[in-house]
Amino acid sequence: MIQAKVAEILESNQFLQEFEINGWVRSFRSNRFVALNDGSTINNIQCVIDFEKFDPETLKRITVGAAINVKGILKESEGKQQRVEVEAKEVKILGDANPEEVKLTILSPKRHSLEKLREQAHLRVRTNTFGAIMRVRSKLSFAVHSYFQQNNFYYVNTPIITGSDAEGAGEMFKVTNFDLKNPPKKEDGSIDYKKDFFGKETNLTVSGQLEGETFALGLGQIYTFGPTFRAENSNTSRHLAEFWMIEPEIAFCDLDQNMDLAEDFIKYVVKYVLENCKDDLAFLEERLANEDKSKPAAERSDMGLIEKLNFVLENNFKRVSYTEAIEILKNSKPNKKKKFKYIIEEWGADLQSEHERFLVEKHFKCPVILFDYPAKIKAFYMRLNEDGKTVRAMDILFPGIGEIVGGSQREERLDVLQEKMEELGIEEEELWWYLDTRRFGTCVHSGFGLGFERLVQFVTGMGNIRDVIPFPRTPQSAEF
Amino acid sequence: MIQAKVAEILESNQFLQEFEINGWVRSFRSNRFVALNDGSTINNIQCVIDFEKFDPETLKRITVGAAINVKGILKESEGKQQRVEVEAKEVKILGDANPEEVKLTILSPKRHSLEKLREQAHLRVRTNTFGAIMRVRSKLSFAVHSYFQQNNFYYVNTPIITGSDAEGAGEMFKVTNFDLKNPPKKEDGSIDYKKDFFGKETNLTVSGQLEGETFALGLGQIYTFGPTFRAENSNTSRHLAEFWMIEPEIAFCDLDQNMDLAEDFIKYVVKYVLENCKDDLAFLEERLANEDKSKPAAERSDMGLIEKLNFVLENNFKRVSYTEAIEILKNSKPNKKKKFKYIIEEWGADLQSEHERFLVEKHFKCPVILFDYPAKIKAFYMRLNEDGKTVRAMDILFPGIGEIVGGSQREERLDVLQEKMEELGIEEEELWWYLDTRRFGTCVHSGFGLGFERLVQFVTGMGNIRDVIPFPRTPQSAEF
């Protein structure tokens, strides 16, 4: 007897071989056909039960959600739904699932809304949709590591708790060991952080970039892949308070090479899931197509999910300077007809999501890399161009997702960096260690950040970012 | 001309080929020999400079720590230290390093203490020791992912910010968005957490296990690999407030299979670094041998680093029940002679680090798996044995490291689990979702947690855990 996963049995040609399978019952039709799933694939193995040969007490306990152990013989299936099936010889109930209780959960066999599934995030991975998403997410994670490791990047775990609040990427959560009812105070009434666990004010990181740079300027090329946090009250389908970010950083690399890297990287990971998640992607494509049917025609996708992924693989990302993009937008129909909420009037305007979507979805109809943004709307560490007013920043915009990558060539000149920090009121003492990298063998270097959940959204076609992470953290919600 | 990494050039046989190299100067001897490193390997490429052909101003700026670009021809080296060298045709200074300033840092070419290196954690990756450790750490991370992915485990990102404080693995850090000077309070004077970001009290996770279990009972077999936190005031060489943990969780898996998995996993990752980090391990072995020389004979290792790694590969871990271990300890010399700080008097005693070290280093002289611990000294979720007093727990103990893995078969029986939680005062409402996994198709399942930094310590031979993570977080310290 071979103990095997459902995924293996479904591929097997060892007919008449006896197999042992553990799994959860997805359905039990006609007191005869058990659809069994063990998470190894989206597909179920059909176990055929001759009810006359089984104890009625056992049969009664084969209910949706129950865990069972089946021993049986592999056969070619007569049904058209499946190639193979298992003729059950023995069935053991491992864990019951009371049908009355199951009815109250998302395990019950009917269509549940994504909102309802979110409320039962501890069970939703047992549904087809979330099983598929989480398998794809896992494969995509491995593709990320594989790409960088194959290309001789080193993985670096930058700190999660940070004493530095100068990263400037957004609002931070505080981390403390104080009794909040009664934190120690100094004579002047301010909080005495010296008495806190770390002896100073600490926060959850918003980005590992600055620490990542110190490592790139020693190991040459590194990447991070870890959780980052934003304490922003954005209750949208595009924001999470806790999300995973990928941040490569490369010494001796300019913005053009940085764009090449980002494009090559994205194509690699998309190709990887196309090759390694065929069944799950096929299911997710169908799910998306069904979802689309309930939408107004204008909001439906032009392409199916897999077609869209192939499109990204096969086309160069369009590289457009901010200045060119502003010209395109200024002269666009929605701008002239005042259809945009924010009308583009002059160079220097920050681009809103509506503008990015116009460029990507209407104008270029492909992924777009915008570069050379006005210094004023970008972070302090980006390299100033010779024009004195733009910086070597780049954003990659994806259809349906918006910004998926934000990166830049970093300001490697100590004096220019110091000047910029002073202008923005960032204390040198806060970032002495960051400035040290410009003191001792500075060099041209670049990097980018990619929000992993945005990538998972793109690959799975899920519209809400809360549906591509196991347990989403959002304003007013930290269940589980 | 080929732009190449130092690691590639050192392996190259393309003599007379022109190469372009970027890197940092490690030394410049006799105004002639530049040792250049770019982080791709622990080894430097020797660039030979004919000083008569170069501008003296440029030569003056080739100083330790400076970033330079060298164009030159690959030659066989006449020196015995290296197989190949590059005859420099052109040298460009990319970033200076003022020797007077370098003197004040750990970049200066002399031996610095590990303590001093820790104070300059932003620069220490440019030293041989830390370059080697961080390259090994990166490869080891990838080995972890490779092992689980090859064995069809799914990677799961369990939440970092958690609303559940019932994990019971240790003291937790609080996460809040409140102004600590003036947090909103309820009428009775208690903090009004409803007004905090998540609408409830939240902490940093101490373990992803409970959430991991919910995923294993759907996807079959999963692993986590992410940061975990302990707000414990342990200022030792074995503790960090922030560290990375690996936690696999497997449905339909008992304790014996769990031990098999842990042993197989550890052997795989050790083998992976032995094969992929030869140069770095050779360096670290020598470092350890030198460090050992300054220790009293009794504290020195019996084996070299690589020998020790091979020993782990080639020997079965010794599996010993807690009950047997207590007998061995009770009858041991240090116990009888009262050399232990904590004398073992009877069954039920919690094992201290001194006892674990005796078992591993003196008695068995190999990695040991202890199992079937008294229920009283273990966590609530471990499966009760038929004897009613022991649980299906296991710890793996390693020489020089102590506990490297802690795991168990989980209590899958709803009633037994509920009884245990009541006994310990854990509210069912807190863990309703965890109990649900026992309500709907529960099954035998197991898992373990492995502290990644302990593993890196073991593989690199570093005695202090602060030296195997990029930016250590410990009581009173959260620099960078």
Side-chain angles (χ1 to χ4, degrees), chain A residues 18-29:
Chain A
E18 198 172 354
F19 282 98
E20 178 175 1
I21 323 159
N22 293 306
W24 293 275
V25 176
R26 285 295 177 87
S27 68
F28 186 26
R29 284 187 299 118

Side-chain angles (χ1 to χ4, degrees), chain A residues 126 137 157 161 440 473, chain B residues 126 137 157 161 440 473:
Chain A
R126 293 210 211 169
R137 183 182 165 108
N157 295 124
I161 298 174
F440 305 111
R473 267 65 184 114
Chain B
R126 291 210 213 170
R137 183 181 165 110
N157 295 123
I161 298 174
F440 304 111
R473 265 69 184 111

